[in-house]
Amino acid sequence: MKPGKTGNDFLKRRPCIETVIFSDGGYFMGHTKTSVHFSGSQAVFDTEALIPPADGRPVHSEEMTKARFLARLRSLHIEEWDREYVASNVLDGEQWELEIRFADGCKPLIISGDNAYPPHFKSLQRLMTIPAKRKSWRAACLPVL
């Protein structure tokens, strides 16, 4: 039996979003987990590598406002997503999970996939990736020895 869509239940609970957790990866590309929670008007990103080849050091960033993060999350139209995406004919590849926790104490929304993806999945990945610190022009132009 295929799980249903997230639908109106998600739309009603969207104002209560407290934490968004996204993990993805695969055997050859490592696995990362990014958690976003809110502190005042800021969206606080915490990312950690779960499986090598990544170095495993947690990364912390506060480079996006809460309002901007929630607007970008709304633009994904998660209410139209299924709760599970599976490509059963692929043996190895990318596994991912999105968990949205709510401040009202309701059960978290969990959407997952195994080599199959909802619409706007790449936008979700970009949203949940901590932007690299901007390099200065001088540092960008120096030769690598």
Side-chain angles (χ1 to χ4, degrees):
M1 183 174 127
K2 185 175 180 178
K5 297 206 180 281
T6 61
N8 288 332
D9 186 45
F10 174 69
L11 287 175
K12 286 187 266 185
R13 295 169 60 203
R14 200 167 55 189
C16 298
I17 292 175
E18 180 178 62
T19 306
V20 178
I21 303 166
F22 177 69
S23 62
D24 72 336
Y27 184 74
F28 294 108
M29 62 186 187
H31 202 87
T32 59
K33 178 180 178 181
T34 301
S35 299
V36 178
H37 68 277
F38 308 112
S39 178
S41 64
Q42 287 298 118
V44 179
F45 290 71
D46 291 302
T47 299
E48 61 182 305
L50 301 176
I51 300 175
D55 64 13
R57 290 178 289 176
V59 178
H60 176 80
S61 176
E62 294 182 24
E63 294 192 15
M64 186 180 300
T65 65
K66 176 181 179 179
R68 179 164 170 78
F69 178 85
L70 291 174
R72 288 183 62 191
L73 190 67
R74 273 192 307 275
S75 74
L76 300 175
H77 297 285
I78 292 171
E79 70 275 6
E80 298 173 4
W81 291 11
D82 293 332
R83 293 180 187 268
E84 185 176 58
Y85 293 84
V86 178
S88 57
N89 58 336
V90 180
L91 296 178
D92 193 19
E94 182 177 21
Q95 293 76 45
W96 60 272
E97 181 177 275
L98 174 65
E99 179 180 347
I100 301 175
R101 297 179 183 168
F102 302 94
D104 61 5
C106 288
K107 188 170 113 176
L109 170 65
I110 299 175
I111 304 169
S112 63
D114 189 357
N115 301 305
Y117 312 92
H120 311 294
F121 182 76
K122 290 291 184 191
S123 295
L124 171 66
Q125 286 180 310
R126 284 190 297 273
L127 174 61
M128 297 301 293
T129 300
I130 292 178
K133 296 286 185 194
R134 297 182 198 271
K135 296 179 182 176
S136 71
W137 176 84
R138 180 183 303 262
C141 294
L142 295 174
V144 177
L145 301 176

